Amino acid sequence: MAEELILNELEAKIRALDEYKSKINQLRNENGDLLSKLQSKEQDAMDVIKYLRSENDGLQEKLRIYAQDSEKAKEMTEKIVMKANEDRDFAIAEMETRFKQKEEGRESEMRKLQEELASLKSFKEQRDQYESTISRLREELAQEQEAHRQAMLSVERKLIEEKK
């Protein structure tokens, strides 16, 4: 009778240990899945940031070229004005017409550059949002990992207490 009681208790403890092992394996699998998801999200965010940086670099280069072109056009205009002062007649009217056309083109380019700059600012805001999201996800993962660690410690304590 006593042996059957001990045998039943041992079988119950074995079942409990098997359940704990199953739960531990399940928690490990969930932890692996969460880590995989976080790495995927981090990689996606890094890809977006890399793309935004390359776009930013390209737009900065265009802006530099446009500034150089604008400066060259300005210098050329000054030379034309000096020559126009020497030839005060018909050349002045002709040069003013050309200057106005170039100025309109520059204004159009400046509007485009302002739009591109606004787009860059929008990209920066999006990047900041992504970085904020990544930080928040990292904190959540750290909290989940700590909770998981605490759960594992609790399970281990229960196992040790049951062995005693």
Side-chain angles (χ1 to χ4, degrees):
M1 183 75 150
E3 290 176 4
E4 280 184 29
L5 184 59
I6 292 172
L7 187 59
N8 287 340
E9 286 179 16
L10 287 175
E11 288 175 352
K13 286 183 180 182
I14 288 172
R15 282 192 300 274
L17 285 174
D18 288 341
E19 288 176 18
Y20 285 131
K21 287 179 183 177
S22 173
K23 185 65 177 177
I24 288 170
N25 286 334
Q26 180 185 1
L27 289 172
R28 282 184 183 148
N29 290 339
E30 287 177 18
N31 188 37
D33 291 344
L34 288 172
L35 286 172
S36 176
K37 287 178 184 177
L38 176 63
Q39 288 173 346
S40 174
K41 288 186 186 269
E42 285 177 348
Q43 183 61 43
D44 290 347
M46 293 306 287
D47 290 344
V48 168
I49 290 169
K50 183 178 178 182
Y51 171 77
L52 292 176
R53 284 184 179 158
S54 70
E55 284 293 313
N56 184 29
D57 292 344
L59 291 174
Q60 290 293 340
E61 180 62 20
K62 282 183 182 179
L63 185 59
R64 184 188 64 76
I65 290 170
Y66 288 145
Q68 286 177 346
D69 290 347
S70 177
E71 185 62 32
K72 288 176 184 177
K74 197 180 219 181
E75 291 172 7
M76 188 169 78
T77 302
E78 288 174 3
K79 290 178 184 178
I80 291 171
V81 169
M82 287 175 53
K83 184 178 179 185
N85 284 337
E86 295 172 3
D87 299 335
R88 295 233 176 222
D89 52 17
F90 180 74
I92 290 175
E94 185 180 334
M95 292 300 155
E96 286 177 348
T97 303
R98 287 184 195 169
F99 180 76
K100 285 179 184 178
Q101 290 173 346
K102 288 179 183 179
E103 192 63 31
E104 289 171 2
R106 281 190 217 118
E107 287 175 4
S108 174
E109 287 181 10
M110 288 302 290
R111 281 192 295 276
K112 288 178 186 176
L113 287 174
Q114 288 172 346
E115 290 172 4
E116 289 178 0
L117 182 59
S119 176
L120 279 175
K121 287 179 183 178
S122 173
F123 279 131
K124 182 184 180 299
E125 290 172 5
Q126 288 176 345
R127 183 194 69 204
D128 291 344
Q129 286 177 329
Y130 288 135
E131 289 175 348
S132 173
T133 301
I134 288 171
S135 295
R136 182 180 50 78
L137 288 172
R138 283 185 178 149
E139 290 175 13
E140 288 176 9
L141 177 62
Q143 291 171 359
E144 288 177 8
Q145 286 177 333
E146 179 60 25
H148 175 72
R149 189 182 70 78
Q150 291 296 328
M152 294 298 289
L153 288 174
S154 175
V155 167
E156 288 177 5
R157 276 192 224 112
K158 286 180 184 178
L159 286 174
I160 291 172
E161 290 175 10
E162 288 182 9
K163 284 183 179 179
K164 290 181 182 181

